[in-house]
Amino acid sequence: MPGIVAAGTFRVIQLALLPLGVAAYVATVPRMLAYSRRTGVSATVFASLYTRCMQHRLQTRPDDPADRLMAVMPNVSQEGFRLETAPTLMGHLLTGYVPRIYRYPYRGRAPMHHQSTARTSYYDAAIQRHLAGVDQLVVLGAGFDTRVFRLSPENRVRYFEIDMPRTQAHKIAMLEKAGLPTNLATYVSADFETEDWMAKLVAAGFDPGRPAFFLWEAVTMYLDRASVEATLRRIAGTAPGSVVAFDYFSQEIVASRSPYMRYARAATNFVGEPLTFGIDNTPPARKSAADFVGSFGLVLEEHRNFGRETRRRSAPAGFVTAVVPAAVGHSPQETVAPETGAPANSQSENGLPNAAAHHDEGKP
């Protein structure tokens, strides 16, 4: 079906089924929130799992483990999930069209409402870019991250996951229930706000004297400032060549009084995961991000905006990779290249996007 016709037909199907999807969302989300409030298992981790499951089903980012995990979650109504996703999946089945939100990377900047899917591509590309230079990969606040299943045995990277005890125990139980191996990662339970996570990580076999990649996805906004800053300082104290990748909200969006952000704050407060931390994203955001990570001894490598930035208006969120420099006065070269695009299925042999998809935002 030609592109324009497919897109138009997809929208008609989606609109026709939209009431069904909205009704399912209204019926299922309270159940998920109530489960998290009752058990102490994180609710916010499901946002990433949901988008990765959708990308898998739309065939833009294969992730069978994510799909299998979603199918066994006790707090997810499978009937509700099918109805909620029906407008998109049925439209795709009949037309072959994939909504733009699920086919990043595309040319241009990702808007804020594409943040949960675009950041997945950013993290995948950053890991692929640095994988040859590290032999340890640490996922901070791992939630239901499934990247350990995307690494090939040839990588020989030691993989660690750190998360709150209840959330991590729940994940391991769900991996077993889904028939997925639990011996590919070293699991370390820790609370970033009350415990020395680095000491626990070292006790589990992590070597701070060897380069590592720290992946910190969709976590900073739920921590207090002291914990975010302390975490970055600990990473800055690891071996030269180590890398941290994280996404963040701006201070303005965290405090926003828009209907959506009021709803988001109410939902996260209800489950005990309040939106707390934001970065001063004063334009140009890249300089603000560089100053922020620089205050901990890190050097900005890559920066992306989520949403539009102008000279007077800050972008609502961003993504950063920063490195531990080799020595004082010697910093890795910052990468600045123009906006480019890449096919959504541009992947290397190990299932992660090719490093060629990397680019950075220079000017706002």
Side-chain angles (χ1 to χ4, degrees):
M1 187 179 293
I4 295 177
V5 175
T9 305
F10 173 88
R11 293 303 178 195
V12 170
I13 296 170
Q14 192 177 48
L15 285 172
L17 296 177
L18 187 59
L20 187 67
V22 171
Y25 177 86
V26 171
T28 57
V29 169
R31 171 180 171 177
M32 293 179 63
L33 297 179
Y35 179 91
S36 294
R37 184 183 174 94
R38 185 178 70 254
T39 64
V41 173
S42 173
T44 58
V45 298
F46 287 98
S48 294
L49 183 63
Y50 175 88
T51 55
R52 288 169 185 160
C53 182
M54 288 296 289
Q55 288 172 309
H56 174 77
R57 295 188 179 193
L58 293 168
Q59 301 177 359
T60 57
R61 181 184 182 273
D63 198 335
D64 182 65
D67 195 53
R68 289 167 65 177
L69 278 172
M70 183 65 82
V72 299
M73 290 295 172
N75 57 333
V76 176
S77 164
Q78 295 306 310
E79 183 62 30
F81 181 68
R82 282 192 291 271
L83 293 176
E84 184 182 340
T85 59
T88 297
L89 295 180
M90 183 61 71
H92 169 70
L93 178 67
L94 296 177
T95 67
Y97 180 79
V98 177
R100 193 167 185 254
I101 187 174
Y102 293 117
R103 49 187 165 89
Y104 201 87
Y106 45 70
R107 188 172 297 278
R109 183 179 295 113
M112 182 62 182
H113 64 284
H114 289 189
Q115 189 247 12
S116 62
T117 50
R119 72 182 181 219
T120 297
S121 292
Y122 296 166
Y123 282 107
D124 284 354
I127 292 172
Q128 176 62 23
R129 196 165 64 247
H130 289 282
L131 203 54
V134 302
D135 53 16
Q136 302 175 107
L137 199 160
V138 183
V139 187
L140 305 172
F144 289 96
D145 190 278
T146 54
R147 288 185 174 88
V148 68
F149 298 103
R150 298 168 65 80
L151 296 173
S152 67
E154 290 74 23
N155 291 133
R156 299 184 182 278
V157 63
R158 183 79 184 273
Y159 198 98
F160 299 85
E161 290 193 6
I162 303 179
D163 212 336
M164 298 284 284
R166 290 185 181 180
T167 298
Q168 190 170 83
H170 181 69
K171 176 182 182 174
I172 293 171
M174 292 304 101
L175 288 172
E176 293 173 345
K177 188 175 181 180
L180 295 166
T182 59
N183 62 345
L184 301 180
T186 298
Y187 298 98
V188 180
S189 62
D191 185 332
F192 287 99
E193 295 186 340
T194 63
E195 296 182 283
D196 187 341
W197 62 269
M198 180 61 79
K200 286 194 164 190
L201 186 62
V202 171
F206 176 79
D207 184 353
R210 299 180 67 83
F213 188 104
F214 294 87
L215 188 158
W216 205 12
E217 182 173 5
V219 178
T220 63
M221 56 286 295
Y222 304 108
L223 300 176
D224 58 43
R225 177 170 292 276
S227 299
V228 172
E229 294 180 349
T231 298
L232 291 173
R233 286 193 190 94
R234 298 306 294 269
I235 292 172
T238 59
S242 291
V243 184
V244 59
F246 65 93
D247 55 291
Y248 66 88
F249 283 176
S250 69
Q251 292 176 348
E252 291 82 359
I253 198 68
V254 169
S256 170
R257 299 181 66 81
S258 69
Y260 176 78
M261 287 308 299
R262 289 188 181 197
Y263 163 73
R265 284 195 297 270
T268 55
N269 286 341
F270 178 79
V271 295
E273 299 176 83
L275 288 167
T276 306
F277 175 75
I279 290 178
D280 177 0
N281 222 24
T282 301
R286 190 176 198 283
K287 182 180 184 305
S288 295
D291 291 343
F292 177 71
V293 298
S295 66
F296 308 108
L298 297 164
V299 176
L300 182 70
E301 178 200 56
E302 176 188 13
H303 177 264
R304 310 289 194 100
N305 278 337
F306 293 109
R308 186 167 175 261
E309 177 184 69
T310 68
R311 295 181 182 221
R312 296 183 179 180
R313 178 185 176 186
S314 63
F319 170 83
V320 160
T321 60
V323 299
V324 179
V328 176
H330 177 71
S331 301
Q333 181 68 34
E334 294 184 25
T335 305
V336 181
E339 287 284 344
T340 59
N345 61 353
S346 176
Q347 295 177 329
S348 64
E349 292 181 357
N350 66 0
L352 295 169
N354 289 315
H358 164 64
H359 64 275
D360 188 46
E361 290 176 343
K363 298 179 180 179

